[in-house]
């Protein structure tokens, strides 16, 4: 009795890796052996299974995906990437409020790639993460969607504009009101120093903040039920940064300019 395709793909790490490697195009057997760090005796039984199930073909010493193989791998790669992201800390992801992610980006959740969960100490709870802060200083821009301001926001933002960092802020309605009533003078001074663009979101913002610089995206997410949690998330792969830029553009598209302060 033949195995199911799920068993064929997932019950062997070597078979799964062969399929993923062939996604980029045909490869010689010696290239597969080198990439998998194995020998022919260890790999040939697995490639024969893939041939038997019409997932790959072999002409001479060159291996290629079949049309069916290509179809499956297109689904396999995002699934593996998503599982990899969630496996980083399933309890973290399982307890987060993620309703703010638009469906088209949720489908590409795997692009977040490798991320780091940061749990600050009590003394650092209300401070910008130092590593991320240094990356902002070295960036040309900082884009932030936020419902709060750090207590030392004026000092932080002043340093950014002095380093020619262009700042774009998308604020929640509540925070925009607070800026106009409580922090009007501070923001007027900041705008005199450098480039700061401010917008007010028309969308719900069930998170603390999402911030991007030229290198990373930094999340301060809430738990389900909008419960506060101190854990922070930083993702610095190129795919994560592109994902984050699209998320920021999504919020920017659904916001209005704040106007004069």
């Amino acid at each position: 009795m033949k195995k199911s395709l799920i068993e064929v793909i997932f019950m062997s790490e070597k078979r799964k890796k062969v399929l993923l490697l062939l996604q980029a195009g045909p490869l010689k057997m010696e290239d597969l052996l080198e990439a998998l760090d194995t020998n022919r005796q260890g790999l040939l039984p697995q490639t024969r299974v893939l041939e038997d199930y019409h997932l790959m073909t072999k002409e001479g010493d060159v291996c290629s995906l079949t049309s069916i193989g290509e179809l499956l791998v297109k689904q396999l790669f995002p699934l593996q990437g998503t599982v990899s992201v969630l496996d980083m800390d399933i309890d973290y992801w399982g307890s987060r409020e993620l309703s703010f992610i638009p469906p088209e980006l949720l489908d590409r959740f795997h692009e977040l790639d490798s991320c780091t969960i940061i749990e600050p100490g009590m003394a650092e709870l209300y401070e910008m993460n130092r590593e991320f802060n240094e990356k902002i200083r070295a960036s040309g821009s900082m884009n932030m969607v936020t419902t709060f301001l750090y207590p030392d926001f004026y000092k932080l933002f002043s340093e950014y504009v002095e380093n020619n960092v262009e700042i774009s802020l998308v604020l929640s309605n509540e925070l925009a009101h607070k800026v106009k009533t409580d922090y009007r003078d501070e923001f007027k001074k900041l705008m005199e120093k450098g480039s700061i663009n401010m917008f007010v979101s028309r969308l719900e913002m069930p998170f603390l903040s999402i911030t991007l610089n030229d290198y990373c995206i930094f999340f301060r997410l809430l738990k389900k039920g909008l419960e506060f949690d101190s854990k922070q998330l930083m993702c610095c792969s190129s795919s994560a940064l592109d994902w984050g830029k699209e998320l920021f553009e999504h919020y920017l598209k659904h916001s209005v300019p704040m106007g004069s302060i």
Side-chain angles (χ1 to χ4, degrees):
M1 182 177 175
K2 281 210 164 195
K3 300 175 183 177
S4 70
L5 284 175
I6 292 293
E7 290 177 293
V8 169
I9 296 170
F10 288 102
M11 293 300 287
S12 166
E13 193 66 20
K14 282 183 180 176
R15 290 197 293 263
K16 183 172 69 174
K17 287 181 177 178
V18 167
L19 292 172
L20 291 172
L21 286 168
L22 293 178
Q23 185 182 31
L27 287 173
K28 291 182 178 180
M29 180 63 75
E30 61 190 58
D31 295 325
L32 287 174
L33 294 174
E34 183 179 350
L36 298 172
D37 192 23
T38 188
N39 55 40
R40 285 182 181 267
Q41 290 82 358
L43 187 59
L44 281 174
Q46 307 308 329
T47 57
R48 287 196 190 103
V49 172
L50 294 176
E51 287 183 90
D52 289 344
Y53 281 78
H54 310 285
L55 300 180
M56 65 158 272
T57 59
K58 192 162 171 282
E59 294 185 15
D61 209 39
V62 177
C63 301
S64 307
L65 291 177
T66 64
S67 296
I68 293 174
E70 289 180 0
L71 177 64
L72 288 175
V73 172
K74 282 180 181 177
Q75 304 299 320
L76 175 63
F77 184 76
L79 174 60
Q80 178 174 273
T82 299
V83 170
S84 178
V85 172
L86 296 176
D87 268 347
M88 176 190 63
D89 190 332
I90 189 60
D91 290 329
Y92 171 84
W93 286 116
S95 59
R96 295 309 103 175
E97 174 57 63
L98 301 177
S99 62
F100 67 91
I101 304 176
E104 62 273 17
L105 285 178
L106 194 60
D107 288 343
R108 291 160 47 205
F109 194 74
H110 60 279
E111 293 179 14
L112 287 178
D113 204 5
S114 55
C115 299
T116 302
I117 293 176
I118 302 161
E119 190 155 12
M122 288 298 294
E124 302 164 330
L125 199 58
Y126 302 105
E127 297 177 358
M128 173 76 79
N129 175 268
R130 290 183 184 179
E131 181 182 353
F132 190 73
N133 187 33
E134 288 304 312
K135 291 182 183 295
I136 294 175
R137 293 169 189 259
S139 296
S141 64
M142 182 198 77
N143 299 326
M144 189 177 194
V145 186
T146 187
T147 62
F148 84 106
L149 292 172
Y150 288 98
D152 60 345
F153 79 89
Y154 182 75
K155 177 177 178 291
L156 287 172
F157 288 1
S158 292
E159 291 173 353
Y160 298 157
V161 296
E162 285 165 9
N163 281 307
N164 298 313
V165 179
E166 183 173 340
I167 300 173
S168 292
L169 304 174
V170 177
L171 312 178
S172 64
N173 275 293
E174 294 81 1
L175 182 56
H177 177 73
K178 192 170 184 65
V179 165
K180 287 186 174 182
T181 55
D182 296 352
Y183 303 124
R184 181 187 296 269
D185 292 341
E186 288 90 336
F187 274 94
K188 275 188 174 181
K189 290 177 184 177
L190 287 170
M191 288 176 172
E192 290 170 1
K193 290 184 177 185
S195 179
I196 299 184
N197 305 299
M198 300 177 69
F199 305 87
V200 182
S201 176
R202 293 180 296 188
L203 298 176
E204 294 295 321
M205 294 167 61
F207 50 80
L208 290 175
S209 66
I210 300 165
T211 311
L212 294 93
N213 56 41
D214 291 352
Y215 307 97
C216 301
I217 177 171
F218 194 85
F219 297 90
R220 296 196 63 172
L221 303 182
L222 296 170
K223 284 187 170 183
K224 291 178 180 177
L226 305 186
E227 180 184 344
F228 173 78
D229 184 75
S230 64
K231 289 182 179 177
Q232 304 162 358
L233 183 76
M234 185 161 64
C235 309
C236 297
S237 69
S238 58
S239 61
L241 192 56
D242 288 342
W243 191 95
K245 288 176 181 176
E246 289 191 40
L247 181 62
F248 179 77
E249 288 298 324
H250 169 75
Y251 272 89
L252 191 60
K253 183 174 68 174
H254 293 91
S255 66
V256 293
M258 189 161 170
S260 61
I261 294 180

